[in-house]
Amino acid sequence: MSDEAFTTARLPGASAIHFRPVTMERKHVRVALILISLAFLGLFLIMPVVAVFVEAFRGGMPAFAEAIFEPDAAAAIRLTLLVAAISVPCNLVFGLAASWAIAKFDFKGKSLLNTLIDLPFSVSPVIAGLIYILMFGSQSLLGPWLKSEGIQVIFAVPGIVLATIFVTFPFVARELIPLMEEQGRGDEEAALSLGASGFQVFFRVTLPNVKWALLYGVLLCNARAMGEFGAVSVVSGHIRGLTNTMPLHVEILYNEYNFAAAFAVASLLALLALFTLVVKSVLEWRYADEIAATRRH
Amino acid sequence: MAATTIASVRKSSVIPGFGLALGVTLTYLSLIVLIPLAGLFWRSASGGLDEFIRISTDPRTLAALRLSFTTSFVAALVNLVFGLILAWILVRYEFPGRRLLDAVIDLPFALPTAVAGIALTTLYAPNGWIGAWLAPLGIRIAYSQTGIIIALIFIGLPFVVRSVQPVLEDLNREVEEVAATLGANRRQTVRRVVMPALWPALLTGFALAFARAVGEYGSVIFIAGNSPYKTEIAPLLIVIKLEEFSYSGATTIAVLMLIASFLVLLAINLIQSWSRRRYGDV
Amino acid sequence: MVRPISTLVRRLRPGLAALVAGVAMIVTPALADISLLNVSYDPTRELYKAYNTAFAAHWKSETGETVTIQQSHGGSGKQARSVIDGLDADVVTLALEADIDAIAKASGKIPADWRGRLPHNSAPYSSTIVFLVRKGNPKGIADWGDLIQDGVEVITPNPKTSGGARWNYLAAWAYANKAFGKDDAKTKEFVSTLYRHVPVLDTGARGSTTTFAQRGIGDVLLAWENEAFLALEELGPDKFDIVVPPLSILAEPPVALVDANVDAKGTRKVAEAYLTYLYSPEGQTIAARNYYRPSKPETVDAALLTRFPKLDLVTIDDPQFGGWAKVQPEHFGDGGIFDQIYRPN
């Protein structure tokens, strides 16, 4: 990380120059900035994750396995997978539709629509849960009718799915809209002029152009969907083995003085987060050229 | 309905599927977001204006809102500084582990907030890994406003970094070279040439981190002391009002927060359009 | 160069297969003959874990039917709110009469006279409020008056959200009322001073125990007697001591059938049996084992009762309180005495 290393790495054509380029800070400034960053990340980001794993394995491997395979924990894991398996595809379809409409067409109210799509992002998760209680609870207008039809929305899987969809609403659309706007309409128009049908254009031209952004969006959406706590907590009813998702199960175990088990389940969620980051990074490194190509299209 | 009226004013395009795409978008948006939110406003209005004013001027409500907004502001400010430094070293410097660092930035996006909450409490409680070192010095982090700020720093960090990074990458280095050739030293170049171009992205990141922090619940309740007037955040007060069977209380605070969030979002959009006018589409 | 989407799909295929398998696994439901949902408050987890097993066995031997009992735990107020909003509880076993009253009033799913339907005001077990202190009682806490000494930190949850916390508050009130010769102003002054010694106000009893025991905050935890014993058992008797004050409150956590729900689900018979069995010798013994004071102590082995120390217990129907219907709005309602004493000057 000497100045020389920098010049050779960044400016291969000018490797003979051994001076610090004018657009680069002094070495001690650079080292200081890097050290500050490492300390900051270590303290705020890395340490918490390390803490989760250390606490999870404090009781040893058998205790960890027992906590994970205990029936209520297994039910929570299944419910979390189910909720993600429903809400992520919903938001995926929505994200594609919204970005197609916004990026490929001009219409009045486009910026309003853009803002509205971002809205759930800045709404507190607690409010996200509250609005569905107000909509579907026994005290609501719809409540008595739903009850007479035997449909249970809140305190059951549908309510948990709705709350999860709400909090993960903008993720896919947010990844796609800027990219598709940048790519413009040229490819689609060319394909259409060559006689392709609308669906062919969508599946053969647009989708391949945005597939990496789409995948990032889905990954982040999925991570958030599996980890949502506040919104789900309000609509869940906390029935063990039935309406407890993994984050809620962590809270329950934590409240039962069962800290090792709480951290064991929490470590699964942390693993999911790490897995998400690894996949995302690997894709970024491996397909960096391709991504750059689609971006500058 | 809305799809067809909007469709009629669109400029002609050869690309098909506008009606379908916009129809799906608007239907889904209405069902999931707009109608339920409208229900919230309707419910809070049904209590009457007097009730709304009584709850929104209640000292405890005001204290919770003030706490939520000030801690979020401080956390976003910290993120502004460190987010800029992080984005800077990730874009400009080569050092071992740079890619790893780059990947780690997104951790708060992916880590469930409840997990973050118990992990941070484990670290910063007076008998925790870090808290135990600070306790003898009389510094209390968990169960104080500092604890809330730490949790909010955690969840908000990626927003600033990810807003600034692409702009910094696209920044034309030749301008900096010109500044240097014209006799500016490095500090002057950074302050007068680089920073003005980064401000819009920094402000966007700041606003996003701030908006996210104001609504945050999961990670904060574990580490905050949850004392009324002192460490009780607004989302927690909504939950408490709900548990007291006070729907009007819960909806009123929710509406106040929503209005505030909407203003923040509006500010983001204004910043972006202002920066686009000033610096071209970055 | 762009790849067709099919390449992407092919690459993702193993993941998709796993997803489909996962969904299939979930959709297959667990089958049980009858299931009951018991919506309860925080500290009863261990009690009902044991009781549910015992009742299922009892019901099986009586009728041959298999019954599965689902449990939901949380702060008492939050749980009541969930039932009002439509959580399908067959029975509620909460911390306070006031919470069941709220369900009766707001949803009409429970008749207003529910309290008289089961013996002992529908409270099959009772408890009281004691102090949990650090080992050796370093601050020398023996009675309520010691809690407001300089430098003593008290941990108790928020009475607005936690049922147990309301009992804590009322026990302190009962002490002060007696100590200051029924002077209301001085009593209020004592209780508000006490709450100024509270550094962390959790939303539930369990949160407070964790704060005190696991996070090491505070010198004394005001706790349910059963919670204090359990904390001692679970977290190590070498770390804490229980201090029983000379005077405390008789806390009667009530149970009730949710009529509208059991009639809709056709589970009335088994739900009624579930509650009645709590009063049987077996039910009472399980309660005593889990550190709840049985309401029919004569049915329980005397050796099990020695764990409950004798102390002066004030009831909620004492003239200074006048029952839950009066206490709830007066002390814990919006703008009530608790709100007044907690308002910073």
Side-chain angles (χ1 to χ4, degrees), chain C residues 267-286:
Chain C
T267 47
R268 181 178 274 275
K269 207 171 126 239
V270 58
E272 270 173 354
Y274 180 81
L275 293 183
T276 321
Y277 191 64
L278 279 169
Y279 292 90
S280 71
E282 293 79 10
Q284 293 284 296
T285 305
I286 290 171

Side-chain angles (χ1 to χ4, degrees), chain A residues 10 23 25 30 37 41 44 48-49 90-91 94 98 100 105-106 115 121-125 132 165 263 280-281, chain B residues 10 15-16 18 25 28 32 88-89 91 93 99 101 103 106-107 119 122 154 159 173 186 215 258 261 269:
Chain A
R10 273 286 161 111
T23 57
E25 290 73 41
R30 268 153 46 208
S37 302
L41 286 184
F44 285 96
V49 179
C90 284
N91 282 338
F94 163 76
W100 181 264
F105 303 92
D106 292 313
T115 308
F121 174 79
S122 60
V123 171
S124 174
Y132 292 111
I165 288 181
F263 279 101
K280 182 178 179 291
S281 305
Chain B
R10 76 184 155 118
I15 301 173
F18 178 71
T25 306
Y28 192 75
I32 299 288
W88 188 272
I89 68 160
V91 172
Y93 303 164
R99 284 176 155 189
L101 215 60
D106 279 334
L107 191 67
T122 305
F154 177 86
F159 293 103
R173 284 236 182 154
R186 188 65 191 141
L258 274 181
S261 304
N269 278 356

Side-chain angles (χ1 to χ4, degrees), chain A residues 78 133 137-139 147 152 155 208-209 211 237-240 252 254-257 259 287 290, chain C residues 2-3 8 11 26 45 70-72 78 81-82 84-88 109 206 209 214-215 227:
Chain A
R78 281 206 299 273
I133 299 258
S138 299
Q139 308 289 301
K147 183 86 196 165
Q152 186 82 18
F155 310 121
N209 270 344
K211 65 187 174 206
H238 303 268
I239 308 171
R240 289 194 84 134
I252 283 193
Y254 193 76
N255 279 343
E256 282 178 359
Y257 314 130
F259 302 108
Y287 302 104
E290 210 176 304
Chain C
V2 287
R3 278 164 215 252
L8 184 65
R11 220 171 275 151
I26 297 147
R45 293 165 202 267
Q70 247 107 35
Q71 274 301 142
S72 169
K78 173 187 188 168
R81 198 268 301 161
S82 296
I84 292 171
D85 273 329
L87 182 59
D88 241 347
K109 286 175 181 170
R206 276 294 156 98
T209 316
Q214 198 68 12
R215 301 286 157 236
E227 274 291 274

Side-chain angles (χ1 to χ4, degrees), chain C residues 309-326:
Chain C
K310 295 231 178 327
L311 68 164
D312 199 358
L313 293 175
V314 178
T315 72
I316 190 74
D317 296 315
D318 190 273
Q320 62 175 307
F321 297 129
W324 271 112
K326 184 163 170 287

